[in-house]
Amino acid sequence: MSPFVSSSLHPLPGCRAPSIPQEGLDDGPDFLSEEDRGLKAINVDLQSDAALQVDISDALSERDKVKFTVHTKSSLPNFKQNEFSVVRQHEEFIWLHDSFVENEDYAGYIIPPAPPRPDFDASREKLQKLGEGEGSMTKEEFTKMKQELEAEYLAIFKKTVAMHEVFLCRVAAHPILRKDLNFHVFLEYNQDLSVRGKNKKEKLEDFFKNMVKSADGVIVSGVKDVDDFFEHERTFLLEYHNRVKDASAKSDRMTRSHKSAADDYNRIGSSLYALGTQDSTDICKFFLKVSELFDKTRKIEARVSADEDLKLSDLLKYYLRESQAAKDLLYRRSRSLVDYENANKALDKARAKNKDVLQAEMSQQLCCQKFEKISESAKQELIDFKTRRVAAFRKNLVELAELELKHAKGNLQLLQNCLAVLNGDT
Amino acid sequence: MAAEREPPPLGDGKPSDFEEQEEGEDLFTSTVSTLESIPSSPEPISLLAEDVSTNSNGPKPAEVVLDDDREDLFAEATEEVSLDSPEREPILSSEPSPAVTPVTPTTLIAPRIESKSMSAPVIFDRSREEIEEETNGDVFDIEIGVSDPEKVGDGMNAYMAYRVTTKTSLSMFSKSEFSVKRRFSDFLGLHSKLASKYLHVGYIVPPAPEKSIVGMTKVKVGKEDLSSTEFVEKRRAALERYLQRTVKHPTLLQDPDLRQFLESSELPRAVNTQALSGAGILRMVNKAADAVNKMTIKMNESDAWFEEKQQQFENLDQQLRKLHAHVEALVCHRKELSANTAAFAKSAAMLGNSEDHTALSRALSQLAEVEEKIDQLHQEQAFADFYLFSELLSDYIRLIAAVKGVFDHRMKCWQKWEDAQITLLKKRETEAKMMVANKPDKIQQAKNEIREWEAKVQQGERDFEQISKTIRKEVGRFEKERVKDFKTVIIKYLESLVQTQQQLIKYWEAFLPEAKAIA
């Protein structure tokens, strides 16, 4: 890789990012700290609990992996110390998530969705292209674009940190899951967990499992549920999940267009600057002022786009994953219902033949218990899910509106000031 | 000639009427004599280049214009009788050899002249003063609007007719407000006439909007969709800007072709503007020939000003093209943003429908409404991006091409002068040879030719100096206009951005309580 990439790909080696100086913009908490503060609670609205507090205190981005420093504070007796940190990678988070999913005991809970894999490829590619194209643009343009790309990289970085953190917090807040042994090992064991990523065979197994699940899902969903609550939840979740998926995709596209437009402002500002420095008439002052305006307004537009991404797109993406997890729960419950019904049938058959009746009875009892246990906890989980969802949407929509207002007012101020100066001059 | 005249007083607001009149008379008589030596050249060539050139850097442009054109008017009056330029025939044949009486400007003030033909020079005098007043006071009392595009006819012969409305208090027009119907080829015809008269003597004639076969075909075929309405609107706006620029030019405003275009209800169809006509093909051939010539002319530039200006325009051209490309990208992305916002709004509405928590459902529907309104906002902003900013830039890119063309004409003029000088030299050599060979009849012929070419050299030099002078003036005017134009339009554009932000604030302020109401 070109030296350019390696040297400037780590604008923030290993730290949670110093704040980017906001030239020209007077007020407002800077982009980063606002996000830091709010992010944990953004999508989940959790109560912080003295018994167990987990967060990601640091993160380091290396060539193709990210190392998260997971920091725990706990008063629980299970841990050797009250406060400690370990370094974890993405694969280890996935291992933890999968261990929950595969654990039969947790069948009745909504398993917090796994964080998506950190994806810096697009950003890295852009930085590399910029490095290659360095000769073909002016120094100002180059610096501007580099800053732009670095900010983008930073934003992606922060997002991935946040998503990993949210996962851990959800687990820590869940009354049952927080007691999980694997979770404690994850938090405490200060060496590499040696969880290799799934090899081909295992990935293929997963693939088949998913296929079976969706085929099953079709069969299972055909059975109308006796319980009204679950019947309603199922219809609701199916539709909701699809619509959230659609909304999330469209929101993504919208924020990306917004960002493209903001980037255009950047280039227009540079062109105007070039015009201003070269022109021979008195319009050069005018051009320079307008160029400055475009630079500043572009910063605001970029933040609008980033905030929309955070408060809207990310929110929708998260609830896409959560609603999938909720659907999975319903699936597991339906599965266990089918198992229960099959066990009943088997019992009847056994009684009819008078063979292995005891065994069939025990099996039926087990299925019944399992089913009832799942149903009970599922009900609670789904109610909680709704509460969480409403709270998260409320928080985010309010913050979105407030931020949009703040930026629009800032933009308006900028424009009006500039116009006053320009009109005064002419 | 130069000796007899006194240059108009420098630094004076207006030269005194009396002096002007004197000049007028003298000039008139002198023009007749120099007439034969001028090859078919259209009216505005000031035949008294040498006089004015003495004042080259001093007087205000308005003053000088006054002199030139005044003389021009008289020149024109006589010229048309003797000259034979084909383009001018259809228009000017109506004007008879005028009763050219140099009248004192004061007497012109009174009557509003009705019959145009008789008082052509009189009108010109009067309006020349008006124009001078107006350019000095920076008020140009003529407003042009292009509106009401209307489809006329059917099928492939259909065309769009535009209404051209003029509002003016200039007395050279018979009414103060009038309108006519014109089609696109009429505009092109006007431009081609003006270009053929004024371009090669150094006037920057604003270029007409470009043809678009695809766009027009869609309209002809009757596709009533968004893209063809947009196309018609784009063209209408471009035609309006074109006319506005043209009438702002003091010399062009005087042109009878322009007046006829604005005023007469019937205009002969300009067939020569069609791309595939004979004239069209001739144009293309000429363009190619010009391009080749440009490469071969190597001019000894004695005046650094021209070199500097050419370089400046070259730079400006490049910068404007870059900026234009970026603005076009912005228009494109904003349109994309608008479409994506609309899609998201629909999706959010659907999501709101399926949400079973009532308050949240309502809030999501509200969000969908807000986003829909914002989509409208983006669309309007994209219009402003385009019609204000982007079109300004593309207009100026074409204008600069016209400026470059004018510089090229100067080079050609110089070439002609050079060639004449070379030929003169050759003729002198021939004469010398004849003298040596002692052939009396050939000597006489040689002497005649020498005289002929001496005159041509003189004319060439005069033409060159005239065109240089005109260009300097024109460039000065162009730069002033450019600065004004850019400032006005960009300020308007920024105001559109302000409006967008104000609307955004309104929408989000209305939404905020809805979001907070989610319980």
Side-chain angles (χ1 to χ4, degrees), chain B residues 361-408:
Chain B
S361 166
R362 193 175 47 233
L364 284 171
S365 307
Q366 293 287 13
L367 179 67
E369 268 179 42
V370 168
E371 293 287 351
E372 230 180 271
K373 289 196 214 145
I374 291 183
D375 153 44
Q376 265 308 107
L377 220 53
H378 285 314
Q379 262 183 39
E380 284 164 15
Q381 185 59 59
F383 274 156
D385 289 343
F386 179 74
Y387 282 105
L388 287 176
F389 206 176
S390 176
E391 288 282 78
L392 170 75
L393 294 171
S394 63
D395 279 352
Y396 269 89
I397 291 174
R398 289 210 316 277
L399 269 168
I400 289 185
V403 173
K404 288 208 248 186
V406 147
F407 277 101
D408 288 343

Side-chain angles (χ1 to χ4, degrees), chain A residues 315-342:
Chain A
L315 172 73
L316 292 168
K317 270 191 231 149
Y318 186 80
Y319 276 94
L320 177 62
R321 297 203 302 277
E322 273 255 1
S323 57
Q324 182 62 48
K327 269 170 59 179
D328 288 345
L329 170 63
L330 279 183
Y331 166 75
R332 290 196 291 269
R333 178 179 168 276
S334 300
R335 241 280 49 107
S336 86
L337 177 59
V338 168
D339 287 343
Y340 180 34
E341 285 174 354
N342 287 343

Side-chain angles (χ1 to χ4, degrees), chain B residues 423-436:
Chain B
T423 316
L424 179 62
L425 215 59
K426 281 206 203 123
K427 298 295 175 191
R428 289 220 168 106
E429 284 173 6
T430 316
E431 185 204 26
K433 269 198 242 165
M434 294 303 129
M435 292 267 223
V436 166

Side-chain angles (χ1 to χ4, degrees), chain A residues 22-68:
Chain A
Q22 307 294 340
E23 318 113 8
L25 295 165
D26 41 357
D27 59 302
D30 63 78
F31 173 54
L32 302 171
S33 56
E34 193 176 314
E35 199 192 335
D36 288 356
R37 259 183 272 122
L39 209 41
K40 255 183 287 222
I42 269 183
N43 295 327
V44 286
D45 191 33
L46 300 163
Q47 271 84 15
S48 58
D49 188 343
L52 181 62
Q53 271 179 359
V54 184
D55 64 87
I56 296 185
S57 59
D58 202 354
L60 184 63
S61 157
E62 278 180 12
R63 193 120 301 185
D64 54 357
K65 33 185 189 235
V66 183
K67 296 209 166 106
F68 304 95

Side-chain angles (χ1 to χ4, degrees), chain B residues 224-243:
Chain B
E224 283 284 332
D225 67 350
L226 189 60
S227 65
S228 51
T229 12
E230 268 184 28
F231 170 77
V232 170
E233 173 56 29
K234 181 175 165 186
R235 179 166 274 194
R236 183 208 65 79
L239 290 173
E240 193 172 80
R241 288 194 309 271
Y242 163 65
L243 279 183

Side-chain angles (χ1 to χ4, degrees), chain B residues 178-455:
Chain B
F178 48 89
S179 72
V180 292
K181 282 255 180 211
R182 293 283 176 257
R183 54 185 292 189
F184 186 65
S185 53
D186 293 336
F187 288 82
L188 293 182
L190 172 67
H191 174 256
S192 119
K193 287 190 200 130
L194 292 177
S196 64
K197 283 192 242 174
Y198 296 94
L199 254 187
H200 67 239
V201 281
Y203 287 93
I204 301 175
V205 178
E210 284 170 353
K211 286 202 243 214
S212 162
I213 300 182
V214 174
M216 256 336 270
T217 316
K218 267 206 232 166
V219 172
K220 284 191 218 247
V221 163
K223 262 185 105 186
E224 283 284 332
D225 67 350
L226 189 60
S227 65
S228 51
T229 12
E230 268 184 28
F231 170 77
V232 170
E233 173 56 29
K234 181 175 165 186
R235 179 166 274 194
R236 183 208 65 79
L239 290 173
E240 193 172 80
R241 288 194 309 271
Y242 163 65
L243 279 183
Q244 283 168 343
R245 284 215 177 88
T246 311
V247 298
K248 272 206 210 135
H249 194 299
T251 311
L252 295 180
L253 182 57
Q254 298 296 302
D255 187 284
D257 280 332
L258 179 59
R259 257 186 311 136
Q260 187 189 38
F261 179 88
L262 291 175
E263 280 186 319
S264 27
S265 43
E266 285 300 316
L267 206 61
R269 178 97 191 272
V271 270
N272 289 344
T273 58
Q274 283 169 346
L276 298 178
S277 66
I281 298 198
L282 188 61
R283 260 199 303 277
M284 283 194 278
V285 170
N286 282 340
K287 259 202 201 161
D290 277 352
V292 172
N293 280 341
K294 203 158 73 150
M295 292 191 274
T296 54
I297 295 179
K298 269 219 78 190
M299 179 167 145
N300 297 334
E301 187 55 78
S302 51
D303 194 342
W305 185 91
F306 284 91
E307 217 173 293
E308 203 183 292
K309 278 296 169 191
Q310 268 186 295
Q311 190 56 44
Q312 274 176 10
F313 279 117
E314 195 54 54
N315 286 346
L316 186 61
D317 187 36
Q318 274 180 3
Q319 292 298 334
L320 284 182
R321 277 177 203 270
K322 261 212 300 210
L323 182 59
H324 183 238
H326 294 323
V327 175
E328 285 200 311
L330 176 65
V331 173
C332 182
H333 286 141
R334 234 202 267 277
K335 285 199 183 148
E336 229 178 67
L337 176 60
S338 157
N340 286 343
T341 309
F344 174 70
K346 288 206 187 80
S347 188
M350 297 278 280
L351 185 64
N353 276 344
S354 66
E355 172 62 63
D356 63 353
H357 186 271
T358 16
L360 179 55
S361 166
R362 193 175 47 233
L364 284 171
S365 307
Q366 293 287 13
L367 179 67
E369 268 179 42
V370 168
E371 293 287 351
E372 230 180 271
K373 289 196 214 145
I374 291 183
D375 153 44
Q376 265 308 107
L377 220 53
H378 285 314
Q379 262 183 39
E380 284 164 15
Q381 185 59 59
F383 274 156
D385 289 343
F386 179 74
Y387 282 105
L388 287 176
F389 206 176
S390 176
E391 288 282 78
L392 170 75
L393 294 171
S394 63
D395 279 352
Y396 269 89
I397 291 174
R398 289 210 316 277
L399 269 168
I400 289 185
V403 173
K404 288 208 248 186
V406 147
F407 277 101
D408 288 343
H409 277 299
R410 177 173 171 271
M411 273 213 295
K412 279 204 267 196
C413 191
W414 180 87
Q415 187 68 52
K416 213 159 132 198
W417 179 27
E418 265 295 289
D419 289 345
Q421 286 181 320
I422 291 173
T423 316
L424 179 62
L425 215 59
K426 281 206 203 123
K427 298 295 175 191
R428 289 220 168 106
E429 284 173 6
T430 316
E431 185 204 26
K433 269 198 242 165
M434 294 303 129
M435 292 267 223
V436 166
N438 207 1
K439 293 189 183 154
D441 47 337
K442 290 263 177 81
I443 289 178
Q444 189 49 45
Q445 181 192 12
K447 279 208 197 299
N448 286 340
E449 287 184 346
I450 286 178
R451 221 182 344 208
E452 182 191 331
W453 281 96
E454 270 176 354

